[in-house]
Amino acid sequence: MKVKSLLRYLIIFLVTVTVLLTALVVSALIPRKSIQKNMEKSAGVLLKSENAHFMIKDAPESRIDSYADVIWLSIAYGYNNKAPLSSVLWSKFYREEGLETNEAFYRQIVDKAESNQEYLRYWHGGNTLVRLFHLFTDIQGMYIFNCIAMFITIAVFIYILWTNAMRSEAIATILSLLAVGIWYVPLCLEYTWVIEWALIASIMAVHNTVCGRFGNLGVLFMVIGMVAIYLDFLTTETLALLIPLLLTMAAKRSVSGSWDRNDTKLTVKYAILWLVGYVGMWVSKWIVSAVVLRINVLPYVTGHVAQWLGNEVSDGVQYSMPELIYYALIGNLQCVFPFNLKSIGIFVFVVFLLLYSYFCFVYKDKNAYKELIVLYIFLSFIPFARIVIMHSHAFRHLFFTHRAFAGTILALMLVLIETTNGRWPKNAPKKSGRA
């Protein structure tokens, strides 16, 4: 990159950090008394539900992690409008020995107790919305809004793909989201933020691509990565990369009717910029905290990193690394359709695999771009790599980390579309604009 281009990225990065931090600080300025009533309602709702409950018995993919939502709301309530910056950076929630998390949160709200347990390592940017919404409604109102917002976002996204001659890609997107139980996502704040952002980011990325505004994409992917970690609780962060990136690639292929080495280089560039934005924004939280709070932040971060990468699951249960990686991979895959159908799921998967292979070989197009296919396949392995690297985290939180496989499914569907040039089902015409 040229010096001028690097300076542009740096300025946009710093401006984005400032804007996002300011949004949290402004939300912290809302007096507690203004959100007290609705926080009491939310605390009552969460007190009645278990910290983790299942929408479908013995189906881990249907688990709603109320524990995390309690933490979100406890942190949001704990912000101090008299010291907004420091309270946002500390991100403390309330914990009391002998009480479940939801019980402690209820006690915090009723007694107006001060938060006492730091959660400094994340931005918790979603609390900007949590405090804003609690001016008007409680957590049930947020769940309802999330359901409506996600439905609208998906509908708009599919409409954009459909009206830009990307109907196969629209169907692939729908199938990938259905396979990971997208309908459960809006029912838990922890699940919602990054997936909703991934879809919104995809709309922006695809729109810029079909309009030929390729110069905007580098900055856009850096900002996508920044907002992802700002909102995320380390859940399905790879979706904020894969869905926008894969469909940007597909849009570029559809619009230009070709794919060359320069397109591959640009794709790699976008992925790197996303990673720079993601990691840079995360590290920025620690740097700002160290400067403002005048503390050494490393002890608050490194201990948890070891936990994410370690082989201890809970209560001292220890596995060897190969065992834990195996259990993490199998456990996550078992939450994805058709594997979530248990024994019958294997049969359904074999049928899908045979149909997939049939279309790839029978309707194979000699003009398909092999380099693009290889890139799709490579990207499809990113969720697997994430599980292998963060095996302990993926094992303990498989009830939501499995949704990262939506990126894998989408990538493999795009392989099918490229391999067949969209000529399926039988006798379907070739897609216009493709070689």
Side-chain angles (χ1 to χ4, degrees):
M1 288 187 186
K2 296 179 181 179
V3 174
K4 185 177 180 180
S5 180
L6 284 172
L7 184 60
R8 175 175 176 245
Y9 279 104
L10 179 60
I11 291 173
I12 292 174
F13 179 89
L14 294 175
V15 169
T16 304
V17 172
T18 303
V19 169
L20 294 177
L21 174 58
T22 300
L24 263 178
V25 172
V26 169
S27 74
L29 288 172
I30 298 173
R32 284 183 192 170
K33 64 181 180 180
S34 299
I35 61 174
Q36 181 69 33
K37 185 177 179 179
N38 285 317
M39 277 288 182
E40 288 175 1
K41 291 180 181 179
S42 293
V45 170
L46 293 168
L47 185 64
K48 293 177 183 177
S49 64
E50 298 179 15
N51 280 332
H53 60 278
F54 297 85
M55 303 295 289
I56 300 175
K57 186 179 179 181
D58 298 326
E61 67 275 11
S62 72
R63 171 172 164 169
I64 304 300
D65 192 21
S66 299
Y67 173 89
D69 285 4
V70 170
I71 299 296
W72 275 101
L73 267 64
S74 181
I75 292 172
Y77 184 79
Y79 290 161
N80 186 347
N81 66 324
K82 295 181 180 179
L85 180 56
S86 61
S87 65
V88 160
L89 294 174
W90 276 116
S91 297
K92 291 182 178 181
F93 64 97
Y94 183 75
R95 172 175 287 176
E96 187 171 330
E97 193 70 29
L99 294 182
E100 293 291 336
T101 309
N102 55 350
E103 295 171 340
F105 176 55
Y106 186 82
R107 180 74 61 83
Q108 176 188 16
I109 300 301
V110 171
D111 295 344
K112 300 179 182 178
E114 292 299 322
S115 303
N116 55 18
Q117 178 67 47
E118 62 81 23
Y119 219 139
L120 181 147
R121 62 187 181 276
Y122 296 114
W123 277 99
H124 306 286
N127 275 334
T128 301
L129 296 175
V130 169
R131 288 182 67 88
L132 178 63
F133 270 86
H134 274 79
L135 288 171
F136 312 102
T137 186
D138 61 5
I139 194 166
Q140 286 185 319
M142 291 195 71
Y143 292 149
I144 293 170
F145 175 85
N146 287 342
C147 289
I148 296 171
M150 186 154 291
F151 175 81
I152 292 174
T153 304
I154 293 173
V156 169
F157 188 30
I158 298 305
Y159 174 80
I160 289 174
L161 293 174
W162 202 269
T163 55
N164 282 283
M166 296 178 67
R167 295 184 179 183
S168 297
E169 290 83 352
I171 294 171
T173 302
I174 293 172
L175 292 177
S176 67
L177 294 175
L178 291 177
V180 297
I182 188 65
W183 50 87
Y184 295 121
V185 172
L187 304 178
C188 180
L189 301 183
E190 178 187 24
Y191 305 163
T192 302
W193 308 127
V194 72
I195 293 181
E196 179 72 18
W197 172 240
L199 294 169
I200 293 171
S202 298
I203 291 173
M204 293 188 289
V206 170
H207 178 71
N208 274 278
T209 303
V210 297
C211 291
R213 300 169 187 162
F214 303 114
N216 297 340
L217 291 174
V219 167
L220 177 59
F221 272 95
M222 181 183 73
V223 173
I224 291 172
M226 295 178 71
V227 176
I229 186 57
Y230 175 76
L231 295 172
D232 197 24
F233 219 173
L234 201 61
T235 56
T236 51
E237 68 289 333
T238 56
L239 286 181
L241 168 65
L242 289 179
I243 296 180
L245 185 62
L246 288 167
L247 288 167
T248 294
M249 295 163 63
K252 171 62 174 64
R253 172 71 172 93
S254 182
V255 168
S256 66
S258 63
W259 188 270
D260 56 31
R261 185 58 57 86
N262 186 56
D263 293 320
T264 298
K265 290 180 179 178
L266 284 174
T267 299
V268 173
K269 174 185 173 182
Y270 299 151
I272 292 173
L273 284 168
W274 183 94
L275 185 62
V276 168
Y278 187 90
V279 175
M281 184 67 185
W282 203 348
V283 173
S284 294
K285 171 65 189 295
W286 310 336
I287 293 174
V288 173
S289 298
V291 172
V292 174
L293 303 177
R294 298 182 182 181
I295 58 170
N296 176 13
V297 299
L298 290 180
Y300 298 98
V301 177
T302 54
H304 295 286
V305 171
Q307 184 184 50
W308 298 331
L309 304 178
N311 300 324
E312 185 175 303
V313 180
S314 63
D315 299 325
V317 178
Q318 191 83 22
Y319 292 96
S320 67
M321 184 177 292
E323 284 179 325
L324 194 51
I325 290 174
Y326 171 78
Y327 290 136
L329 285 170
I330 294 299
N332 276 268
L333 284 170
Q334 286 176 338
C335 293
V336 179
F337 179 84
F339 299 113
N340 63 346
L341 298 178
K342 302 190 185 301
S343 57
I344 196 175
I346 303 299
F347 172 76
V348 175
F349 173 72
V350 171
V351 173
F352 282 169
L353 185 61
L354 290 174
L355 287 172
Y356 185 91
S357 302
Y358 173 80
F359 283 123
C360 282
F361 285 101
V362 174
Y363 297 104
K364 183 178 180 180
D365 181 11
K366 64 180 180 180
N367 294 318
Y369 286 89
K370 294 180 180 179
E371 188 171 329
L372 177 58
I373 291 172
V374 170
L375 193 53
Y376 281 148
I377 293 173
F378 175 80
L379 291 173
S380 75
F381 280 99
I382 287 180
F384 288 95
R386 196 269 196 198
I387 289 173
V388 170
I389 294 170
M390 302 186 66
H391 44 272
S392 181
H393 180 273
F395 179 86
R396 281 182 279 186
H397 302 293
L398 57 86
F399 50 90
F400 61 71
T401 56
H402 75 274
R403 294 197 175 94
F405 283 126
T408 298
I409 295 167
L410 178 59
L412 295 178
M413 291 296 293
L414 293 177
V415 168
L416 175 63
I417 293 168
E418 178 60 27
T419 302
T420 63
N421 202 1
R423 295 182 302 162
W424 53 277
K426 189 176 181 180
N427 299 324
K430 288 187 177 182
K431 297 190 76 172
S432 61
R434 292 193 176 188

